[in-house]
Amino acid sequence: MVHKKEKVMDRVARGEFFLDWNPEAPFDDAAGASLSRVTVTKSWSGDIVGSSVAHLLTAMSPVKGSAGYVAVERMDVTIEGRTGTFVLQHCATSAVRGDQVLTVTVVPDTGTEDLRGIVGRLAVTVQGRESPTDRGGRHLYEFTYGLP
Amino acid sequence: MAMISATGTFDITSRPEPPFWSFDGVLLGRMEFDKVFHGSLTATSIVYMTYVRTPVESSAGYVAVEWVTGEIDGRSGSFAFLHNGVTTGGDLSLSVAIVPDSGTGELSGIRGSMAIENDAGEHSYTLQYEFTV
């Protein structure tokens, strides 16, 4: 039996990121949802400083306001003086008659260098946006995390 | 109204690609799958995946979109799933949910989610679904 020390998410980093949206042509544009790959590059400011590249898979419904995306995002950042890389995984849906749901978590054991062993989850507040795949608005983040 | 349960099995053909990024043992890559569903769901699908591997074999993740075309309990159409899976200590936490308002044809308005069992490469599914009016 393996006893692992439970990692506690006892720190919070806050700030804003700016993004650059690079869509590829839809690869499946059947009568219903349109599926695409999109690469988003971000620059992070605040308690997290650095850059990231997010690889999105998007599903746009023909109904405006209903959509979803999933993504993996490789972070190359400094958080409160500690520098390294790690990977976030996103899943988001919005329904025109329903809620928007976004979960973003650190994939376990992806932390490197000073960020080895990082655990965490990211909350994003976007001001002025209709669906998770809209590009506009200010992106404010709150990253709740822990390090060994 | 209670969700309807649709069950059966599916077969997979995968087309892996080499990782497109790696650093210090962490890998990102893409993969595509063709699936054939049998049972309550008589359908085919294409899965577009991005995966994450780590230096720890029992830690990994993947996300995917899946486009399904066929029949569920005799109703024909198509719809999209989103997959979000994280493996921690060998245990897979997986969510496979229908994208809101992605259904077409007689599957217009479908919503729900799918549970997948993998028994040594034999895949079975339970789709819980309903229709919004």
Side-chain angles (χ1 to χ4, degrees):
Chain A
M1 187 166 172
V2 180
H3 289 276
K4 271 184 121 171
K5 193 178 159 208
E6 194 68 26
K7 291 166 186 161
V8 182
M9 291 189 247
D10 56 357
R11 294 159 180 264
V12 180
R14 294 183 182 84
E16 181 172 7
F17 62 77
F18 305 88
L19 51 84
D20 189 15
W21 184 271
N22 307 287
E24 297 177 17
F27 46 69
D28 197 330
D29 214 349
S34 167
L35 307 184
S36 299
R37 287 191 188 270
V38 179
T39 304
V40 177
T41 54
K42 295 183 189 172
S43 111
W44 294 73
S45 67
D47 296 331
I48 300 177
V49 177
S51 63
S52 68
V53 181
H55 303 273
L56 278 66
L57 289 155
T58 64
M60 306 296 291
S61 143
V63 177
K64 185 172 166 57
S66 292
Y69 83 85
V70 288
V72 297
E73 179 170 12
R74 49 189 170 93
M75 304 285 290
D76 187 353
V77 295
T78 301
I79 306 176
E80 297 182 288
R82 298 176 69 157
T83 299
T85 65
F86 61 94
V87 178
L88 293 170
Q89 195 160 304
H90 303 224
C91 185
T93 57
S94 70
V96 69
R97 297 176 301 269
D99 295 331
Q100 292 193 8
V101 180
L102 170 68
T103 63
V104 184
T105 54
V106 175
V107 181
D109 293 309
T110 56
T112 70
E113 300 179 313
D114 298 341
L115 299 177
R116 195 174 300 277
I118 192 169
V119 293
R121 60 176 182 273
L122 185 78
V124 179
T125 307
V126 187
Q127 296 166 346
R129 182 178 68 163
E130 289 180 6
S131 83
T133 48
D134 279 356
R135 299 161 226 177
R138 274 187 85 186
H139 294 74
L140 306 177
Y141 68 81
E142 186 171 287
F143 183 51
T144 305
Y145 71 102
L147 281 162
Chain B
M1 189 183 119
M3 289 265 192
I4 304 161
S5 209
T7 60
T9 61
F10 62 84
D11 304 314
I12 288 182
T13 309
S14 66
R15 293 186 292 278
E17 296 177 24
F20 62 81
W21 180 84
S22 70
F23 181 75
D24 211 6
V26 179
L27 307 178
L28 303 185
R30 293 178 174 185
M31 207 181 287
E32 286 184 18
F33 299 90
D34 293 317
K35 283 191 195 171
V36 180
F37 291 91
H38 313 280
S40 311
L41 184 54
T42 307
T44 60
S45 74
I46 306 178
V47 182
Y48 304 89
M49 173 192 284
T50 305
Y51 62 81
V52 183
R53 291 189 188 134
T54 78
V56 178
E57 199 178 340
S58 58
S59 296
Y62 87 87
V63 294
V65 293
E66 177 170 10
W67 186 250
V68 183
T69 304
E71 287 190 4
I72 304 175
D73 297 324
R75 299 172 74 148
S76 68
S78 55
F79 62 90
F81 279 123
L82 290 183
H83 297 231
N84 183 29
V86 173
T87 303
T88 310
D91 294 324
L92 174 65
S93 165
L94 175 63
S95 149
V96 181
I98 295 173
V99 176
D101 295 314
S102 65
T104 68
E106 293 171 327
L107 300 180
S108 181
I110 192 169
R111 65 180 183 188
S113 62
M114 180 176 267
I116 295 172
E117 295 269 321
N118 183 352
D119 183 6
E122 297 290 311
H123 293 88
S124 56
Y125 65 84
T126 302
L127 173 66
Q128 301 275 351
Y129 72 95
E130 64 182 356
F131 290 94
T132 55
V133 185

